[in-house]
Amino acid sequence: MKIQAPKGTRDILPSEIHRWQYVSRVFAGLCDSFGYKEIRIPVFEYTELFQRGVGDTTDIVQKEMYTFDDKGGRSVTLRPEGTAGVVRSYIENGMYSLPQPIKLYYDITAYRYENVQKGRYREFHQFGVEAFGAAGSEIDVEVISLLHMFFEKLRLKQTGLNINSIGCPACRKAYHEKLKDFFRPHLSELCNDCRNRFDKNPLRIIDCKNEECRKFIDGAPLLLDNLCDECRNHFEGLRSGLDNLGINYAIDPKIVRGLDYYTRTVFEFVSENGGSQGTICGGGRYDGLVEECGGPSVPGIGFALGVERLLMELDIQGVAIEEPPAPDIYIATMGQRAVDLAMQMVYKLRGHGVQAETDLMGRSLKAQMKYADKKRFSYTIAIGDDEIEAGKGVLKDMRTGDQKDVSLDSIVDRLKNQVNQAK
Ligand code: HAM
């Protein structure tokens, strides 16, 4: 039987890797300008971290985690997202005793046992940032502005920013009671998940996608109308900060997000091209999470962006990503002396950053030239005993067809200068 990649995973092939490398490079460059440093966290963590961090009542923890016992009998889980691992690292490495804020970014894979469909995979990629230590709304504005600028740099239009506040534990407690009073008469008509949420985390009922539940949800009281003064001021601060930078947004009081750790600010960047997987990016503030995971009381905020969804959106919007440049020079060979010389030449050229190749397949000269043409090399030169005796060969510019006699000794310097000037 042919072994296939597991459902919900896919290979990123050499023919498309430049697209991935491009968006990673733009994201990393922007994080650098904003003062965010890269962090690399493990692919797996002890399961308890996600139970506590992401939250026991979330779909992720209840249904979607890749959890297994390792050979030592400890339960470990492939990270379903990056925030919990980054928070664990922040605490474990004592980053709270360094000057705050601590501003981090990551470029990771994540794993969720999902119903696979377009834009929804079991292994997927996220770019994310997490910023710790700042409680004011300025950092919320900074994090959102980073994303906004990222989309601008990618020339991605038609993505809307939606923001909301889901308050703090104090205002949420009072609101939960209101929400329960509202849903109680309809409890028997709600789906199983919502009946469970009713006691544990009624706010998440608002996020239910079930058609029957949605009939009731539309009239439910909104947390945004029930914020305490501090949370309302924080939200106003966010709004005026975004206005100050000229960043457009819509308020969507129904955003609650699918993870338990959020407090106050939540936001999403959504494709205007619709589709159920239209949320390209989601994030928010999590002022209680560091403490929940065993650290001091330190506020935090961040986001994660789905790279597959980002690339899909770039495609839909017809944003072209530049193809990698053609390789520089192919040295075709005839005979063993030429092979030895060509091996020396490509070795030197590569050391100078020139993309140089020679035959590794024992092909005929004709087949080598055909290969060089197919691979779109910018230059070719063919060497054999005659060229070695004469100390020169014919360098062909494959784009213009120009041919020039050049001394073999000068090839390395000539190509090195030519290529480095072009770069
Ligand atoms: P999330 O909303 O679960 O948030 O995921 C963020 C983004 O990851 C989504 O908007 C989506 O683009 C992408 N994504 C999620 N699941 C899948 C999937 N199965 N297949 C493809 N893409 C997917 C978080 O992960 C939070 N950690 C974000 C955050 C960081 N909040 C604060 N800091």
Side-chain angles (χ1 to χ4, degrees), residues 28-63:
L30 206 55
C31 287
D32 193 44
S33 311
F34 275 72
Y36 287 67
K37 296 266 177 274
E38 185 179 2
I39 183 166
R40 298 190 183 181
I41 49 169
V43 168
F44 63 90
E45 301 268 0
Y46 290 127
T47 302
E48 189 194 351
L49 174 71
F50 300 116
Q51 286 167 337
R52 271 212 264 166
V54 175
D56 264 336
T57 63
T58 59
D59 280 356
I60 295 179
V61 170
Q62 286 188 349
K63 305 177 190 166

Side-chain angles (χ1 to χ4, degrees), residues 60 80-83 106 112 114 119-122 124-126 129-130 257 259 261-262 279-284 286 301-306 308-309:
I60 295 179
E81 54 108 57
T83 312
Y106 48 86
R112 297 185 193 175
E114 301 248 29
R120 188 169 286 279
Y121 309 103
R122 292 184 176 168
F124 58 99
H125 296 73
Q126 287 188 335
V129 311
E130 311 294 349
R257 310 268 309 122
L259 302 99
Y261 45 62
Y262 292 110
T279 309
I280 299 174
C281 173
Y286 45 83
I301 177 162
F303 68 75
L305 171 147
E308 283 81 0
R309 293 190 193 175

Side-chain angles (χ1 to χ4, degrees), residues 297-321:
S297 168
V298 174
I301 177 162
F303 68 75
L305 171 147
V307 186
E308 283 81 0
R309 293 190 193 175
L310 174 73
L311 289 170
M312 260 166 56
E313 188 63 24
L314 286 167
D315 257 352
I316 293 171
Q317 295 191 24
V319 179
I321 296 178

Side-chain angles (χ1 to χ4, degrees), residues 9-135:
T9 70
R10 60 184 290 265
D11 305 310
I12 301 167
L13 298 172
S15 56
E16 54 181 335
I17 196 69
H18 65 284
R19 294 161 51 75
W20 292 76
Q21 290 172 336
Y22 171 71
V23 289
S24 280
R25 222 172 27 242
V26 174
F27 184 67
L30 206 55
C31 287
D32 193 44
S33 311
F34 275 72
Y36 287 67
K37 296 266 177 274
E38 185 179 2
I39 183 166
R40 298 190 183 181
I41 49 169
V43 168
F44 63 90
E45 301 268 0
Y46 290 127
T47 302
E48 189 194 351
L49 174 71
F50 300 116
Q51 286 167 337
R52 271 212 264 166
V54 175
D56 264 336
T57 63
T58 59
D59 280 356
I60 295 179
V61 170
Q62 286 188 349
K63 305 177 190 166
E64 296 170 1
M65 294 209 302
Y66 279 92
T67 298
F68 54 96
D69 286 347
D70 69 9
K71 292 204 191 306
R74 282 161 302 220
S75 178
V76 293
T77 294
L78 300 186
R79 60 186 174 210
E81 54 108 57
T83 312
V86 174
V87 166
R88 195 249 330 119
S89 176
Y90 175 84
I91 299 167
E92 190 171 341
N93 294 292
M95 287 188 234
Y96 48 81
S97 47
L98 302 173
Q100 306 292 299
I102 296 287
K103 307 200 293 187
L104 307 169
Y105 81 90
Y106 48 86
D107 182 343
I108 60 169
T109 52
Y111 303 84
R112 297 185 193 175
Y113 191 77
E114 301 248 29
N115 286 325
V116 177
Q117 49 191 290
K118 201 168 169 35
R120 188 169 286 279
Y121 309 103
R122 292 184 176 168
E123 179 186 67
F124 58 99
H125 296 73
Q126 287 188 335
F127 298 155
V129 311
E130 311 294 349
F132 297 92

Side-chain angles (χ1 to χ4, degrees), residues 405-416:
D405 267 357
V406 292
S407 86
L408 297 184
D409 288 343
S410 72
I411 294 268
V412 172
D413 278 340
R414 181 187 282 266
L415 259 291
K416 174 179 97 182

